[in-house]
Amino acid sequence: MNTTPMVAIVGRPNVGKSTLFNRLVGKRQAIVHDQPGVTRDRIVGTAELQVDREIDLVDTGGLVPGDDPLGLNKQVFLAVEESDLLVLVVDGREGLVPADEQVWEHFRQSGKATLVVVNKGDTRQAQEGFTEFYSLGAGDPILLSAEHGEGIDSLREAILGALTEVPAATVPEDASPVAIVGRPNVGKSSLLNRLLGQERSLVTPVAGTTRDPIDTLVEAGERHLMLIDTAGIRRRAKVSDTPEELAVMMSRRQIQRAKLAVLVIDASAGVTSNDLAIAGTIWELGRAAVVVVNKWDLLDEEGRERLDLSMPRLEELLADPLRVNISAATGRAVEKVFPAIDRALTAFDTRLGTSEVNRLFAEALRRHKPPAQYGKPWKAYYATQVSSEPPTFMLFANRTLKRADTYRRYLVNSIRRHLDLPGVPIRLVIRQRARR
């Protein structure tokens, strides 16, 4: 299909950019909070302007001219560079302030078509001071209230009118979503940048910098992947401020969106309880997993032994996932990540014919005698695969087995060994059925 136009929402901090983004997208995808600087990276969503006419909408962090120690402004300018249209948001309640003029001067130099949106238009100050924004020289301002939805239809019409034809480009519809997850500051964004060969996600040693997910399409061999860089997941008890708490919730949602999760581990810290919690979430949601051990180059022989001793519980949780030891900082072994993802995704999509499924279960039953209950043996009649991603099998028997039953676990592990499914969950549904 053709790529859709990209529109970036820009402006200084705390003028309502994320609220407007959520209003246009129609769901709470961006983090909204009254603390300036909450949106630190770009977040992309799809907004429908009218029937069969969509745009890719980019919410950016607030531009602060001057000192930029975290590289936040660089991320904003990269979003501007990639966009076809800018929506400059200003605060109508505060009126035109010098910071707005400074920010607009930076964006004017890009040469991109721009719409000026005067937000908080439900207030008397905005309605009375609306005309002063004409002095920016960016055309007719649009008065609206992102919070209450007033004037949004006018903005949609203005965006449609401002967009020119975007050159057609093919975007594969079969792209597999892959979420890059892990605790804060383990190197997720650095890994993403290495995989992409460019700085698409903010990299800084400050823990928790990436708060919003970023989707990036990439071609890896014959497979198209949609890489999702997620906010660092922390245990809820360690989350103190509201934006971080929202980011924890959204990280889980990004895992839900993905087929596979790349769990990034800090080699120097080993496998922590938080790593195990994240692995549990991946498994609970039925996603495939690849484990990437970052900062491997910082370990000596003793450190590597300690790391290996901490791995068994994680490997048990994720069914012996493929593991890649890398250094995102130097690029060491990063090229091995894509092949591991490809192999895991192939396993995640495993499909078997009914005859092969029954043969595998029959072999498992022969190797290990089924349990008896009250003197009556457990009997399996036949089995079939009902779905993939993850592989899900339905087994009809004379009675069900509890989820924690050891024989159920034996059957699942037996199938896994035969099919070689590293890091892929297997679902087994057992239905009680009387034999005719």
Side-chain angles (χ1 to χ4, degrees), residues 111-378:
K112 297 291 178 76
T114 304
L115 297 174
V116 175
V117 166
V118 181
N119 192 25
K120 307 178 185 178
D122 54 322
T123 63
R124 180 176 57 81
Q125 299 97 316
Q127 294 164 7
E128 292 178 353
F130 170 70
T131 55
E132 65 180 328
F133 291 99
Y134 277 94
S135 63
L136 292 174
D140 297 336
I142 301 166
L143 185 67
L144 58 76
S145 170
E147 183 175 358
H148 299 104
E150 298 170 6
I152 295 297
D153 287 342
S154 297
L155 175 59
R156 289 193 179 101
E157 292 175 6
I159 292 174
L160 280 170
L163 285 173
T164 56
E165 286 297 317
V166 179
T170 56
V171 175
E173 298 180 357
D174 61 343
S176 300
V178 174
I180 301 176
V181 300
R183 296 183 296 107
N185 212 31
V186 294
K188 298 182 300 297
S189 295
S190 297
L191 172 61
L192 177 67
N193 292 341
R194 280 288 179 182
L195 292 173
L196 298 177
Q198 60 174 307
E199 292 188 9
R200 294 295 298 268
S201 184
L202 181 64
V203 179
T204 170
V206 180
T209 299
T210 306
R211 296 191 178 194
D212 293 328
I214 301 172
D215 295 0
T216 309
L217 186 68
V218 63
E219 187 174 336
E222 297 182 358
R223 191 187 291 274
H224 294 96
L225 304 175
M226 185 66 73
L227 300 182
I228 307 166
D229 182 25
T230 63
I233 305 174
R234 296 184 182 180
R235 281 189 168 181
R236 196 169 287 272
K238 294 184 178 180
V239 179
S240 56
D241 62 325
T242 304
E244 286 286 3
E245 186 170 73
L246 290 174
V248 170
M249 295 169 55
M250 292 177 65
S251 294
R252 182 184 175 89
R253 293 174 186 172
Q254 302 317 314
I255 296 174
Q256 289 178 315
R257 291 176 52 207
K259 291 184 179 181
L260 179 144
V262 175
L263 175 56
V264 183
I265 303 291
D266 184 337
S268 59
V271 177
T272 69
S273 58
N274 280 356
D275 295 325
L276 294 175
I278 298 167
T281 299
I282 296 169
W283 199 253
E284 171 198 338
L285 295 174
R287 304 304 188 254
V290 168
V291 173
V292 169
V293 180
N294 190 27
K295 308 179 187 178
W296 178 255
D297 55 320
L298 301 182
L299 294 186
D300 55 19
E301 192 62 34
E302 184 179 344
R304 293 177 182 181
E305 290 178 2
R306 283 198 305 270
L307 173 66
D308 288 339
L309 288 174
S310 71
M311 291 296 294
R313 179 57 182 145
L314 180 71
E315 292 168 345
E316 180 185 358
L317 265 175
L318 296 178
D320 295 322
L322 297 174
R323 168 180 158 184
V324 185
N325 301 324
I326 71 160
S327 169
T330 65
R332 177 199 181 278
V334 170
E335 73 280 358
K336 297 180 181 179
V337 174
F338 279 140
I341 291 174
D342 180 70
R343 182 180 168 192
L345 283 173
T346 299
F348 193 58
D349 192 34
T350 293
R351 299 172 187 270
L352 302 176
T354 299
S355 60
E356 186 177 1
V357 172
N358 279 281
R359 179 181 62 81
L360 291 176
F361 276 102
E363 289 179 358
L365 290 168
R366 280 195 300 269
R367 283 193 304 271
H368 186 46
K369 187 178 178 180
Q373 188 177 43
Y374 305 118
K376 296 181 179 180
W378 183 80

Side-chain angles (χ1 to χ4, degrees), residues 357-408:
V357 172
N358 279 281
R359 179 181 62 81
L360 291 176
F361 276 102
E363 289 179 358
L365 290 168
R366 280 195 300 269
R367 283 193 304 271
H368 186 46
K369 187 178 178 180
Q373 188 177 43
Y374 305 118
K376 296 181 179 180
W378 183 80
K379 293 181 180 179
Y381 301 136
Y382 67 93
T384 185
Q385 183 174 357
V386 293
S387 66
S388 60
E389 299 184 347
T392 303
F393 302 93
M394 183 172 290
L395 181 64
F396 293 89
N398 63 338
R399 66 172 182 268
T400 61
L401 295 176
K402 293 180 180 179
R403 182 172 297 182
D405 189 277
T406 55
Y407 197 74
R408 173 193 281 268

Side-chain angles (χ1 to χ4, degrees), residues 1-3 166-170:
M1 65 179 186
N2 293 337
T3 54
V166 179
T170 56

